[in-house]
């Protein structure tokens, strides 16, 4: 880990009871600097926090905004829960994937876009919903490509 990453993790430590509790923040910090969390980074974080890599991997896997593989510059999370599904979210997601020539979970050839599934984003009354680099995009329509990519 870089000195900056360690400084930022250290700044979080007073907010948590023990080092293992800061693990999500530590993963987010490393991801912010590197774009994703590699195996080497995960091992380094675990060592620093004095928890097992397996324990940290469990946290990283559970928290689906931590990327364990490289992602594109723009990450699109498409809600795959029931309200969005009932209002055609699957069909719109497929349309987006066809446009980008990717399958769900993949990154476009130019490295720009990654499309990932996510559970309910808490905006069911405005389904179907997606999130673009962390920004909620509700009320999606057949114009999903334009609505999400601005094309
Ligand atoms: S089901 Fe999609 S936002 Fe709740």
């Amino acid at each position: 880990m870089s000195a900056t990453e360690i400084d930022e993790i250290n700044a979080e430590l007073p907010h948590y009871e023990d080092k293992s509790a800061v693990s999500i923040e530590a993963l987010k910090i490393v991801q912010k600097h590197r774009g994703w969390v590699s195996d080497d980074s995960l091992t380094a974080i675990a060592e620093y926090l004095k928890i097992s890599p397996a324990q940290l991997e469990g946290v990283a896997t559970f928290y689906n905004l931590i990327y364990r593989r490289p992602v594109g510059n723009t990450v699109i999370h498409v809600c795959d829960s029931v309200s969005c599904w009932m209002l055609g979210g699957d069909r719109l997601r497929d349309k987006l994937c066809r446009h980008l020539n990717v399958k769900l979970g993949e990154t476009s050839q130019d490295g720009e876009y990654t499309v990932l599934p996510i559970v309910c984003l808490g905006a069911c009354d405005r389904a179907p919903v997606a999130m673009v680099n962390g920004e909620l995009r509700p009320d999606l329509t057949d114009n999903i490509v334009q609505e999400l990519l601005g094309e």
Side-chain angles (χ1 to χ4, degrees):
M1 287 187 293
S2 70
T4 305
E5 289 165 337
I6 289 173
D7 283 350
E8 289 182 22
I9 291 170
N10 285 343
E12 292 296 329
L13 291 176
H15 303 299
Y16 299 89
E17 276 186 14
D18 58 52
K19 278 191 169 187
S20 64
V22 80
S23 56
I24 288 182
E25 292 308 318
L27 288 162
K28 283 199 239 174
I29 287 166
V30 168
Q31 178 166 287
K32 179 181 75 179
H33 288 284
R34 297 167 189 248
W36 65 294
V37 179
S38 67
D39 288 347
D40 286 350
S41 292
L42 186 126
T43 302
I45 297 168
E47 266 174 28
Y48 188 71
L49 297 178
K50 297 189 175 23
I51 60 177
S52 75
Q55 193 180 348
L56 188 60
E57 177 73 60
V59 172
T61 305
F62 178 75
Y63 190 69
N64 50 19
L65 296 179
I66 295 297
Y67 311 132
R68 293 286 285 120
R69 287 187 296 172
V71 292
N73 297 323
T74 303
V75 179
I76 302 172
H77 284 95
V78 184
C79 176
D80 66 356
S81 292
V82 67
S83 297
C84 288
W85 175 77
M86 285 173 66
L87 290 169
D90 285 13
R91 187 176 53 77
L92 298 183
R93 176 205 63 211
D94 290 347
K95 185 172 185 175
L96 176 70
C97 286
R98 269 197 309 279
H99 177 82
L100 294 172
N101 197 23
V102 296
K103 293 193 177 82
L104 197 59
E106 290 182 349
T107 298
S108 58
Q109 204 106 58
D110 61 4
E112 185 56 37
Y113 297 102
T114 301
V115 183
L116 297 169
I118 194 164
V119 294
C120 180
L121 288 162
C124 311
D125 57 329
R126 301 194 60 189
V129 178
M131 200 164 60
V132 179
N133 281 349
E135 181 187 307
L136 202 65
R137 300 291 184 88
D139 305 316
L140 296 172
T141 69
D142 269 325
N143 294 324
I144 184 168
V145 169
Q146 215 221 320
E147 290 163 348
L148 297 188
L149 311 184
E151 294 177 5

